[in-house]
Amino acid sequence: MSSSVRQSPAKRRLVVASDRDRANVEGSDIEHLVHFLETGTSSQTPLQNAFPLVGLAFSDEGEAELRVGLAAVNALGTVPEVPIQRVDLGSKAESLALVRTLVEGGVGRLARFTTSVTSEVAILRREREALLENYRALEDAFQARNWEPVTEIFAHDPYVDPKDEGIGQLLATGYVEQLLPVSSHGVAGVALHLNSVPREGGELSVMLSYVENGEGVAEWTVPYAQLAGGWNFFALPRTCGGGARTLRLRVSTTGAETVGLSLGYPIASERYTARSETPHADLDLRPLAFRVYTGLPGVRPTRMPNMIAPTALLGGHFIEDYRLAVDLLSQIVDVSVTPIVPEFQTVRFLEHEHAVVCHPLASGISAGTIGRAVEPGTISFSASAIIDHPKGAPAAVSFLLAPANSNARSEVAELARKGSAKPSAFFSGWREVTAEQAVNINFQLDEPVRAPMDLMILSRAVTDSVDFSWLKVSGFRLVKQSGGTSHVR
């Protein structure tokens, strides 16, 4: 066998050496097995496409260069440290022959076997993913029970009664619930009819859950700008499967204005009329205007203006939104951290508007705290903020969730000094607010709150002026989740 064939480049280079020692390796029997580290480079991947088992050094300089290059690999901590072996130039031939026997013998065969197994596992994994995708597509098609992409199986058309007063206040201060009088099996989405949509300043929240065990299916939190007048299709990424169960919609809004959620024709069954926690004359024997579709998920029904994907999938969890009660908001306490002593009350509760005012000052942070306002299990928080004066200067608003009964001024002072909250608290970040339009602020937590927490509302100046900067915060909506199997409603 010729030397060129015998020493063809190896697929895996299992020996590493410094570029200073290249002359001692070139022409030897192991040249094709060695990866050389270039000297004087700052590459962060010195061993790219190489997996060395041993390092060879023929000089002190080469050993020093080799240790510097291998330090980048050792810092990863994911592979054992590569040992470095000094080779005596007097017995170089015997040492290199021994290295080649070791690398191309048992160790080489083990490396080739490992490569083969890894390749087979990768192929099997790709085939498994392809099979699962095909299975899910077939499953969704069979659950649809027909070959149409999506099919309307139930509808309540909108009906306008001249005496309608609208249910906007119910949506802003609470929620409206609707049971769907169909089996959940194969449902791929639900459409709601909106007779009016504000263009800014709020969001529509829709939650779909099972009645029998309280498990959530999905939640849609949609800014008004993404909604359309008429029908809006809220799509699911997968059709509802398993046993046939009863579905329930819960609809609420945030912001200074509310959408015009349409009601349907009066019906005889009280069970399937729309309901709310507060009685309302328009909900008497009236359902929401809605449509239910089965079919392939992610396909928009024909003549539907838009399709909205869920912002959260709630499988296995019971999701419940709640508002801060008026008596709780009225207990807000001023905990501002500022060197300025104002001549007016900067933090106060507006009883008739169910809102809180937090006026910023030229220096420091104005803040108010509400003790134990956030319940365990809370996963998200939202509110609407606006400068409540046409000539009011802009301001920045934020929210801070701190452990119950903590020192509120200390929490605010920590934020003012470092710009970040303590590790035990959750900080929403600053959001600029003007007098032109209401801003909806969403605060999604990384994990649910495990114990009751205090809610702090903070404001600060963003310009040199704070004239008439009456920052009003309202529409407090919190969402909590817990294990779905323990909540049956």
Side-chain angles (χ1 to χ4, degrees):
M1 183 180 294
S2 64
S3 175
S4 60
V5 175
R6 185 180 72 250
Q7 297 187 6
S8 60
K11 293 183 179 179
R12 287 181 175 270
R13 303 203 171 202
L14 305 179
V15 181
V16 63
S18 171
D19 194 57
R20 291 179 177 271
D21 294 329
R22 184 185 292 270
N24 294 314
V25 178
E26 287 181 339
S28 67
D29 291 342
I30 68 167
E31 179 183 1
H32 63 295
L33 301 173
V34 179
H35 175 81
F36 294 99
L37 292 179
E38 297 183 5
T39 59
T41 62
S42 59
S43 173
Q44 297 299 317
T45 56
L47 297 181
Q48 187 174 6
N49 299 325
F51 189 85
L53 300 179
V54 64
L56 298 182
F58 295 83
S59 61
D60 293 339
E61 295 80 2
E63 182 178 354
E65 291 282 354
L66 196 57
R67 293 189 182 278
V68 172
L70 293 177
V73 178
N74 296 336
L76 297 177
T78 57
V79 294
E81 184 175 351
V82 179
I84 298 177
Q85 181 67 38
R86 285 294 296 267
V87 179
D88 187 3
L89 294 178
S91 59
K92 182 178 71 172
E94 294 82 359
S95 299
L96 296 185
L98 180 61
V99 170
R100 178 177 180 180
T101 301
L102 175 66
V103 171
E104 291 189 339
V107 175
R109 287 194 299 272
L110 181 60
R112 290 190 293 273
F113 176 74
T114 304
T115 302
S116 175
V117 171
T118 303
S119 301
E120 292 292 337
V121 169
I123 294 173
L124 290 174
R125 181 178 179 181
R126 287 193 294 269
E127 292 180 350
R128 174 180 173 271
E129 291 175 350
L131 287 173
L132 285 176
E133 289 298 325
N134 293 336
Y135 169 76
R136 293 192 184 281
L138 289 173
E139 182 185 38
D140 290 334
F142 279 111
Q143 285 185 355
R145 301 181 181 178
N146 53 66
W147 292 107
E148 295 295 330
V150 284
T151 302
E152 179 184 307
I153 61 170
F154 192 90
H156 268 308
D157 292 327
Y159 168 70
V160 178
D161 190 319
K163 297 180 293 183
D164 278 350
E165 299 178 0
I167 57 175
Q169 189 63 25
L170 294 180
L171 298 173
T173 59
Y175 57 84
V176 174
E177 284 188 345
Q178 175 69 59
L179 293 184
L180 306 186
V182 297
S183 166
S184 65
H185 194 65
V187 170
V190 179
L192 292 176
H193 190 275
L194 306 177
N195 55 64
S196 64
V197 180
R199 293 282 34 127
E200 55 195 18
E203 292 180 332
L204 176 69
S205 174
V206 179
M207 283 192 287
L208 184 65
S209 61
Y210 294 118
V211 174
E212 286 78 6
N213 58 4
E215 287 186 5
V217 179
E219 179 184 24
W220 295 264
T221 303
V222 192
Y224 289 163
Q226 298 179 16
L227 297 171
W231 291 104
N232 293 263
F233 182 60
F234 297 84
L236 290 170
R238 282 200 65 199
T239 57
C240 296
R245 288 175 284 186
T246 309
L247 290 170
R248 172 171 50 198
L249 277 176
R250 175 176 287 193
V251 187
S252 61
T253 62
T254 59
E257 300 181 69
T258 61
V259 298
L261 186 63
S262 300
L263 294 171
Y265 287 84
I267 58 177
S269 174
E270 294 185 6
R271 178 176 177 81
Y272 293 108
T273 59
R275 297 181 181 182
S276 179
E277 59 184 355
T278 304
H280 193 281
D282 291 338
L283 297 184
D284 186 20
L285 298 181
R286 298 278 299 278
L288 295 181
F290 67 91
R291 294 175 177 175
V292 182
Y293 292 85
T294 61
L296 296 177
V299 178
R300 180 169 58 89
T302 55
R303 297 183 298 275
M304 191 69 66
N306 62 352
M307 182 173 69
I308 304 168
T311 54
L313 297 178
L314 312 177
H317 293 284
F318 178 81
I319 302 298
E320 179 183 359
D321 61 344
Y322 63 99
R323 309 289 176 132
L324 295 186
V326 175
D327 57 346
L328 197 60
L329 287 173
S330 64
Q331 298 175 15
I332 189 167
V333 178
D334 190 341
V335 290
S336 303
V337 176
T338 172
I340 301 174
V341 179
E343 298 178 354
F344 56 92
Q345 189 177 0
T346 57
V347 177
R348 59 192 177 95
F349 170 63
L350 301 179
E351 182 177 0
H352 300 292
E353 299 186 50
H354 297 177
V356 169
V357 166
C358 188
H359 195 297
L361 297 175
S363 178
I365 295 178
S366 298
T369 182
I370 306 173
R372 306 178 71 87
V374 182
E375 299 178 9
T378 299
I379 191 64
S380 67
F381 171 87
S382 62
S384 177
I386 191 172
I387 300 297
D388 198 23
H389 193 285
K391 296 182 180 180
V397 63
S398 66
F399 300 100
L400 184 68
L401 275 59
N405 302 322
S406 60
N407 189 319
R409 291 187 186 275
S410 174
E411 299 281 351
V412 177
E414 179 82 4
L415 182 63
R417 182 172 63 254
K418 296 184 177 180
S420 60
K422 295 180 179 179
S424 58
F426 297 96
F427 179 54
S428 67
W430 294 100
R431 180 80 178 273
E432 185 171 339
V433 184
T434 65
E436 298 177 357
Q437 64 183 36
V439 173
N440 198 70
I441 303 168
N442 288 292
F443 184 16
Q444 189 74 27
L445 305 182
D446 295 333
E447 59 182 15
V449 172
R450 298 184 179 182
M453 301 191 78
D454 297 342
L455 171 63
M456 302 182 194
I457 305 169
L458 306 93
S459 68
R460 69 180 185 185
V462 296
T463 64
D464 295 336
S465 173
V466 292
D467 294 343
F468 309 109
S469 187
W470 296 105
L471 177 66
K472 183 175 71 175
V473 186
S474 59
F476 299 92
R477 173 180 176 265
L478 299 94
V479 177
K480 61 181 179 179
Q481 74 176 28
S482 56
T485 57
S486 61
H487 291 77
V488 179
R489 295 195 173 188

